[in-house]
Structure formats: structure tokens, C-alpha cells
Amino acid sequence: MRPIKLTMQAFGPYAKKQIIDFSLLGRQGIYLISGDTGSGKTTIFDAIVFALYGTASGNVRETASFRCKYAQSDLKTYVELVFSYRDKEYYIYRSPEYWRPAKRGSSMVQQKEKAEMIFPDQMVISGQRHVNEAVIRLLGLDKEQFMQIAMLAQGDFLRLLLSDTKKRSEILGKIFATQPYRLLQEAIKKQADTSEKELCLKEAELERLKKSVQECEAGEQVPQLPGEFLHFLQERIDTATQKSEKLVQYLETKRREQSQYEAQIAQLERYEKIKAQMAALQKKEVEEEALLAIVTKKRNLAQEKYESEYELLLHEIGRLEGQRKDVAKVAELTEKIEQQRNISLKMQLLQKNVQEEYEKKRQDLEKGKAQIEQLGKVAVRQVEIKADLEQFAKQKDDISNLLQEIKMCNELYGKMKEAQHCYEKKRAVQEQCAMAYEKAQRAYLDGQAGILASTLAKGKPCPVCGSLEHPHLAMLKEDIPSKSEVDKLRQKKACSEEAMRRASEVAGQYKGKMEALREAIEKRGKALFSLGGRELKQAAMAKENELNIKAEDLNKALQSLKEKQSCLKQLEETCSKLEKSCQRCNEDEKELAAKMSAAKAAERELTEQKTALAKSMQFSKLEDFNDALKALVEQKRKLEEELKMAREEFEKLQKSVIASKNHLKALSEQCPQRPQIDAEKKAALDREVASLEKERQIIFLRLAREKECAAQVEAIGCQLKTLEKEFGWQRDLAQTFNGTQTGRDRLNLETYIQMRYFDRIIERANARLLIMTSGQYELKRREVNGDLRRQSGLDLDVIDHYNASERSVKTLSGGESFKASLSLALGLSDEIQLGAGGIRLETMFVDEGFGSLDSESLEQALAVLDSLAQGDKLIGIISHVEALKQNIDKQLIVKKKIGGGSRVVVQS
């Protein structure tokens, strides 16, 4: 990949559009990127990485910070890169995400990121992710690989040079992605630790089982080995099984004897139960027969009462039902009378309301006519108020114009003072310039006299006066100003005089305008208030406030008059309606009086009908009839209920007496003979069976526990053999992969893999280091580690061929360290390119570090880089070392402008 043209706008320190044409630098060789600190040298590489991969080149740079703070708000932030790959040109456009002012309003809006790539066949792809994937497919490198190959930062590789094995392992692990090997060795160690924990758990479980057996048999010795312990348990199980079988046979014999006793006890219990039931039934039979006689007598009395009273109740109920219709009619008449009375009262109340309404409307009508008479005078007052308002408006306009002129006069006064102040400053500057010029003029003339005196000799005529004697020669002074300096001071003096003149004219113009306006104000103020000077403004403002208050009062009065005028028409309409309403009230009152008379006549007629009907009734109210009828019906229901209950009680008791006799006869037939039982012999048998059962249960529980224990011991024994075998090889493998074997170097698997990469890097680095050090130094990976407690394998030494010694790289000087770190960086770049499929980039950047080299070392380093640049490769050195500027012709010079951003100048 070779950059052809890079375009940046509002990117980093570059505020305006900046185009860098790399084609001007040629296709091979070294070029220098120089400029002040912070001017934007490394930003050029940032822009290339951002164009290719959409992110910054380093961890300290964030994409969101690419927006230039010096750029104008309407300029877009973007990067364009034209590059060639395999003799084909590609184009990439990228714009980062950033905040910009909105086109309308003062708010900020977020500008979305944008990415676009154009291929040689004009195929276009868009979108951040799609462009990134296309670049990686094209170059065969991701961003990290591109950074490691294309950008050699001295600080990064100096850390790689001077770090110990642990730190160097972290660096190489990130570069060559050897983390899977570390994860593998950690996983193997974790598996070995897990197996060891499982082995310990199984051994602890076996010890717990042994203790459980020891607790069952106090003082009994338990074998330690799993096989012997299992044989010991089996013997105990066999002995307990034989004892349990004999005990079960004897227990069955005793249980059969116990069953015979239980059958006799059940027969005795049945005999006693039947005898108790027969006694209870005999007693119940006697009681029921006595009760049956009482119930029979009660039933006969209920029958007699029913027959004597029932017919009378039916007759009385029929008579009351006949009178009930008359009571309902009286109630209906009472309700109608009440309705007529209510109508009469309602008519009376409506008549009263109509009279009150008529009186109220009549009074409102009189008030309305009086108001109409008063509102007739509103028009006259309205004309007077409008005339006053016009006069006040004219006075207010005069006063407003006067106040505006006073304000303009004050503004002119302020501008006059500023112009006078400016004139004073210009005059002071003119005086200083005049004094400087006069001083320089005198010094120049005095100096000329001294120069002339230095050329005079005794006996030779003076070119000015022709005298041959020179008794008082002028002294030759130092720091004599030149003729050009005196001329510059004279021009400066003339410029200051011109500036002072222009300032004087401006001040005079402002003063003339102010005085003219002030005279006009004085004249207008005397015409309006007979006042002038400073009191004029206060009087004008007071008068203006007074006119505003009066105008406001008049406007309110005028508004009130307008409202009264609108009310006049409404009052006239209201009065007309009130007159019609009063007429309707008179008519309504007459109609209500007629309705009230008719209602009273109907009420008298209904009252006479009610009085005549009430004389023939037993009760005057319907409720009394209902209560009396309800009492007779309830009395009839009670007679029927008492007779029914007496009959049911008699029948129920009669059935119970018959059932008891039948039950007693059946029990006497079912009752068995009474058995004879030996209670002492039975109790002894029960105690023996309980003791045997308890002993059988103890043996059963012991057998179950020991069988379960034997099964667990057998399973644990198999598991222990398997775990011990697995743990053995897992432990050896974990110690080998993690470098923890006793008596050996602490070399783990990841470090071993990194050693192979490191050896190839060192081999390629030495090819450059020997050239840059004139064959003195060669890097070597340390083979032997003196401290077996410390991680080893990646320690780095340097061989000094001048004195045949070998020592740590940390003993190198600053310049020597830079050569070594640069060699490592170039070796690493070669290794990564080979690891990426032999990809070779046609461009490279080297960042700083050359300041620590002497002139000879600098020439050697440049020679190595120049050899790399042979074969169609371009190498850029980012530095501000002066010697590089003199030795390298091709340069990108970054110039920084305070407050205005940076720009790049290509020097080819």
C-alpha cells in the first residue's frame, strides 16, 4: 500500500482544507516530516490510519476528538485518501462523528459518521463496517498489524528492548496473539487443581465412612485400605443377615400364638358389646311406651281443639274480607282529597309567586326607564373626552421627540468624549514618535561628526572648515543609528501626525453635531416648559408621565361611556320585555284563582263521600283491617300446625317402639358364648413379641446402613483409582506447561512459543544492528537463568564484539538503546509481514528517537533505513532533529499558526 494523495479538512490541528501530494516525494527513498511540537506531524499518520480503518492510530487518540477546534462551523470534518495497491488506485472518504452548530437556531446537532470506498472498476461501497471489511480483505492486514508494520514508534520498542521476561511476554503476547497458549496452560493447571480437590474430597468421604462404622462398634478396629475395609464390612453384613433370619422365624411363631389370643379377645369384646346394646334397648323400650301414652293423649286434644275452633275462624275471615274493599275505597277517597288539597295549596303558592314577580318586574321597569333617561347624556361627554385625548396625544408627541433628541445629544456627547480620548492617545503616540525621531536624528548627526573626526589628521585640512588644527575632535560613539533607521522613525512620526490629525477631525465633527443639537433642544424646551439645561429632561419626563396618567384616565372613562352606550339599547329592549311580562303576570294570576276555586269544590265533595262510607265499617283504616285479618289467618295456621305435629310425633314414636322390639330380638339371637382368657400369659407373650420386634428392627437398620456404606466404599475405591491415575499425568503436564517443575527454569508454554518468534525477530534485528554499530553489538536471547524462582526465557543480552563480552541490554547508552530498539522494530515488522502471508507495504513511518544519536550513528541509522527504502519503498521519518533536515532533501514541513491551525508544505 502506497499513499498517493491525502486530503484533510477540519481534522486535528488542520483547520482548513489541506492536500498532501505524496507523489511529489517519488516512489522510493527517505523523506522527513518536521515541524514544531504539537504542530500535527503524527496527525498525518493518524489521518492515513483513520481513512483505512476508521479509528485513531493510538489508544490516546479518540475518533470523536478529530474535529479541529479552529475550524469554521460550516466546514465539514473529513479525510480523503488516494492510494495504490498492486499498481491499482483506490479512493476512500471518511467523516467522523462530531457535534456542529445547527443550520437554524443556536442548538448543537450531531453529524453522523460516513465512509465510502471507490475501487478501480468504479464500484462504490458505503458504510463504516463494509469499508473496514473491504480494506482488510484488500491489504490482508487489520489495524493492529498495519500499525506494527507501518509505524515504528521509538518509545514502544524501547520498552520491548528494556523489559524483563514478564513484561516482554505481555508485549509479544499482544503482537503475536499467543493468549490461546496461555489459556491452554491455565486450563490444564485448573483441571489438575480440580482433580486434586476431587481426590481430597473422596479421601475425606472414605474417612467419614470409617468413622461411622467405628461409632457403631465402640473400640472395634477398622482397616484403612478401601479393599480391606470393604471385606470387613461384608463379613459384618453376612453375620447380621444370619442372625436376622433366625430371629424372624422365632418371631413368626410367637405372632401366631398372639393371634389366637387376639381372636378370643375380639369374641369377648363382641359379647360384651351385644349385652350392653340389649340392656340399652330394654330400657329405651320402657321409656318409649310411657311416652307413647302421653303423645296419644296430646294428639287427641289437638284433634278436638281443631274441630271446635277451625270453622269459626273461617267464618270470621270471610266477613273481614268483605269489608276490606270498603276500606280500600275510603283510602282511595282520602288520597284524592289530599291531592285536591295539594293542588289548592300549589295554586295559592303560584298566585303569590306571580304577584311577587309582577311587583319585581314593575320596579325593574321603572329603574330601566330612569337609566335610559341618564344614558341620554353620554354622547356629550364622549365628544369632550375625545377632544382632550387628541390634545394630550399632541403634547406627548412633542415631549417624546424632545426626549429622543436629548438621548441623541447624550450619545453624541459620549462619542465626542471617546474621540477626544482617542485624540489624546494619538497625540501621546505622536509626541513619543517625534521625540524618538529627534533623538535618533541627533544621534545620527553626532555620529556623523565622530566618523568625520576619526578621518582627520594633524596638518590635513578639515573637509568642512579647511582648518589644519583640530583641537576638539568629536568622539566616535557606539550604537549610532543608520540612515534607514532614522528614515523609518521619520515615516513613523509622519504617520502618527496623520493619525492625530484624523482623530482631531473626528472629535471636532462630533462636538459640532452635539452643540447644534443642544441649541435646538434648549429652544424647544423653552417653548414647551420655559426651562433649559439639566432641568429640561426631568421636566419633560415628569410631564410625559403626567400626560400618560391623564390619558389613561380619559381612555378608561371613554371605554366606560362606550360600554354605557351599548347598555342603552339593551335597557330599551329589556324594558319592552318587562312591560309584556307584567301583562302576562296579570293574566296568569286570574287563571290561577279560577283553578284554586275548582280544587276546593272537588275537595268538599270527596270529603262528604268518605264520611258516609266510614260509618258502616268496623275499622277506619286499611292497616287495621289487614292486621286483624293477618291475626285470624295466623291463628288458623297454628291450629293446623299443632294437629299435624301431634300426629307426626305419635306416628314417629310408634315406629320407634316397634323397631326397638325387633332389634332386641335380633341381638338376643346373635349373642355368642363368653370365652375364658389367661391375661397374665397374654401380657408375657406381648412383652416377648415387642422385645423381638425391637431387636429385629435394630438388626435391619444396621444391615441397611452397612450395605449402603459398602456400596459407597466400593464406588469410592474405583473413583480413587481413576482420580489418582488422572491426577498424576495432569499434575506433570500442568507443571511442564506452566514452568513450575522443581529444579528447572520457570519456562511456560506461552513463553516457549514467544521464544521462537523472539529468536526470529532478534535474527532479523541483528542484520541491521551490526551495520548501525559498525559490527560492535549483536543481540542475544539469554539461555540460562540464574534465579529459578523468576520467570525466564525472554531475557535479552547484548554481545560486545570489541571486547568479547556479553551483558544486559540495560547497560547500553541512550544512542545505543535507540539503535537496538530501531533494529528490533524493523525485525518485528519483517516477522509480522511474513506472518501475514508475505505482505509487504510500500510505505513506513519512523517516529522520533534520532535526537540521542551522534553524527556517525545517525549516518549509520539512515543508511539502514535507506537500504530498506531500496526496491520501491518510501520511508517517512517524523522528527525535528536539525541534522536530519540538512541530510534529507525530501521533506514535509508542518507549520503551526497560533489560533489558526496548521498547514503542510511539500519540499521535494
Side-chain angles (χ1 to χ4, degrees), residues 537-551:
K537 185 176 180 181
Q538 287 78 3
M541 292 175 67
K543 186 64 176 178
E544 185 180 30
N545 291 334
E546 179 185 350
L547 291 174
N548 287 334
I549 294 171
K550 288 182 178 181

Side-chain angles (χ1 to χ4, degrees), residues 409-627:
C409 184
N410 291 334
E411 291 176 355
L412 287 172
Y413 179 77
K415 291 180 180 180
M416 181 193 73
K417 285 296 184 182
E418 291 178 1
Q420 289 177 349
H421 181 66
C422 179
Y423 166 74
E424 291 295 332
K425 291 197 293 184
K426 298 292 184 181
R427 188 170 63 82
V429 171
Q430 188 275 333
E431 291 177 354
Q432 292 177 358
C433 292
M435 291 175 62
Y437 169 71
E438 292 175 359
K439 182 178 179 181
Q441 179 72 8
R442 283 197 303 273
Y444 173 75
L445 295 176
D446 293 343
Q448 295 302 314
I451 293 171
L452 180 61
S454 63
T455 60
L456 297 178
K458 191 175 181 180
K460 291 183 178 181
C462 174
V464 178
C465 62
S467 175
L468 298 176
E469 298 294 332
H470 315 292
H472 302 290
L473 294 174
M475 301 296 294
L476 183 61
K477 297 181 179 179
E478 298 179 358
D479 299 332
I480 301 172
S482 63
K483 185 70 167 59
S484 61
E485 290 175 348
V486 174
D487 292 340
K488 286 181 181 179
L489 289 174
R490 184 173 64 253
Q491 292 175 0
K492 189 174 181 180
K493 171 176 172 289
C495 290
S496 63
E497 288 175 348
E498 179 64 21
M500 180 182 69
R501 183 187 63 77
R502 287 197 299 270
S504 177
E505 289 179 355
V506 171
Q509 290 173 0
Y510 280 126
K511 184 177 180 182
K513 291 179 181 179
M514 183 201 69
E515 290 177 350
L517 185 58
R518 182 178 291 175
E519 290 178 1
I521 291 170
E522 290 286 341
K523 184 178 180 181
R524 187 185 294 270
K526 289 178 180 179
L528 290 175
F529 307 108
S530 301
L531 293 174
R534 297 180 179 178
E535 297 177 353
L536 181 59
K537 185 176 180 181
Q538 287 78 3
M541 292 175 67
K543 186 64 176 178
E544 185 180 30
N545 291 334
E546 179 185 350
L547 291 174
N548 287 334
I549 294 171
K550 288 182 178 181
E552 185 177 357
D553 293 340
L554 288 174
N555 282 322
K556 289 180 180 178
L558 184 61
Q559 184 64 28
S560 176
L561 290 174
K562 289 180 180 179
E563 293 174 357
K564 289 180 179 180
Q565 278 184 338
S566 62
C567 291
L568 179 60
K569 188 175 181 180
Q570 295 177 359
L571 281 173
E572 290 174 349
E573 293 176 355
T574 302
C575 288
S576 177
K577 292 178 181 179
L578 285 174
E579 288 178 354
K580 294 178 181 179
S581 181
C582 288
Q583 293 176 1
R584 285 196 300 272
C585 286
N586 286 328
E587 295 172 358
D588 292 342
E589 185 178 1
K590 294 176 182 179
E591 184 180 353
L592 289 173
K595 290 181 179 180
M596 186 171 62
S597 298
K600 287 183 178 180
E603 180 185 353
R604 286 193 300 271
E605 183 180 354
L606 291 171
T607 302
E608 291 174 358
Q609 293 177 9
K610 175 184 174 185
T611 303
L613 188 59
K615 290 179 181 180
S616 61
M617 292 192 303
Q618 183 179 353
F619 299 103
S620 61
K621 295 182 179 180
L622 181 61
E623 289 82 1
D624 296 338
F625 271 98
N626 289 336
D627 292 342

Side-chain angles (χ1 to χ4, degrees), residues 14-52:
Y14 299 98
K16 298 180 180 179
K17 187 175 182 179
Q18 177 67 57
I19 300 175
I20 302 176
D21 191 352
F22 287 94
S23 62
L24 299 177
L25 301 175
R27 295 186 58 85
Q28 68 176 19
I30 301 173
Y31 67 93
L32 179 67
I33 303 175
S34 65
D36 297 332
T37 301
S39 59
K41 300 186 294 296
T42 309
T43 306
I44 297 174
F45 184 70
D46 285 340
I48 295 175
V49 175
F50 174 68
L52 292 173

Side-chain angles (χ1 to χ4, degrees), residues 359-372 575 578:
E359 185 62 27
K360 182 180 178 182
K361 290 181 178 180
R362 187 183 62 78
Q363 293 176 1
D364 291 341
L365 181 60
E366 292 177 356
K367 289 180 181 178
K369 289 179 178 179
Q371 290 179 358
I372 289 171
C575 288
L578 285 174

Side-chain angles (χ1 to χ4, degrees), residues 127-141:
Q128 186 88 329
R129 181 172 61 84
H130 297 96
V131 173
N132 291 349
E133 292 173 354
V135 170
I136 294 174
R137 284 197 305 269
L138 177 66
L139 301 183
L141 299 170

Side-chain angles (χ1 to χ4, degrees), residues 258 261 677-690:
Q258 196 178 31
Y261 277 107
I677 300 173
D678 189 347
E680 294 182 357
K681 189 174 181 180
K682 179 182 179 303
L685 181 61
D686 289 341
R687 287 193 296 273
E688 185 178 4
V689 169

